[in-house]
Amino acid sequence: WVFDALKLHSVLSGIDTDRVKGVFITPEGVTGFNKAEGALTRLALDDCLDSRLECIGRDASALDQLEAALLDCVISR
């Protein structure tokens, strides 16, 4: 799947977790996201076969709407 990087940035910025790490295929190429201590960083990566996301936190309810929000970021499948 190809994701809109700007929408992803907005979604991942809003997640209330201790840590977020993700790799996504975007129109600009593969983009990595890393959120720690409330700061989200974004970097270009070389390659990946599929997109992945890992969230670490104490409150699982913070992720209740995450799947729907991520699907809203999809440009094409």
Side-chain angles (χ1 to χ4, degrees):
W1 296 6
V2 179
F3 291 83
D4 181 305
L6 291 177
K7 285 185 178 181
L8 281 172
H9 192 276
S10 177
V11 168
L12 298 177
S13 292
I15 297 175
D16 185 21
T17 60
D18 297 327
R19 183 101 156 98
V20 174
K21 290 177 74 174
V23 176
F24 294 90
I25 299 168
T26 71
E28 297 83 21
V30 179
T31 302
F33 290 91
N34 186 21
K35 183 177 180 183
E37 298 180 11
L40 181 66
T41 58
R42 180 177 159 183
L43 64 144
L45 300 173
D46 290 334
D47 197 15
C48 73
L49 298 176
D50 57 359
S51 299
R52 298 177 181 268
L53 180 66
E54 178 180 330
C55 299
I56 300 170
R58 293 178 175 82
D59 184 9
S61 68
L63 305 177
D64 286 345
Q65 304 302 317
L66 181 58
E67 183 177 8
L70 290 173
L71 289 173
D72 188 47
C73 298
V74 173
I75 297 172
S76 65
R77 296 177 191 205

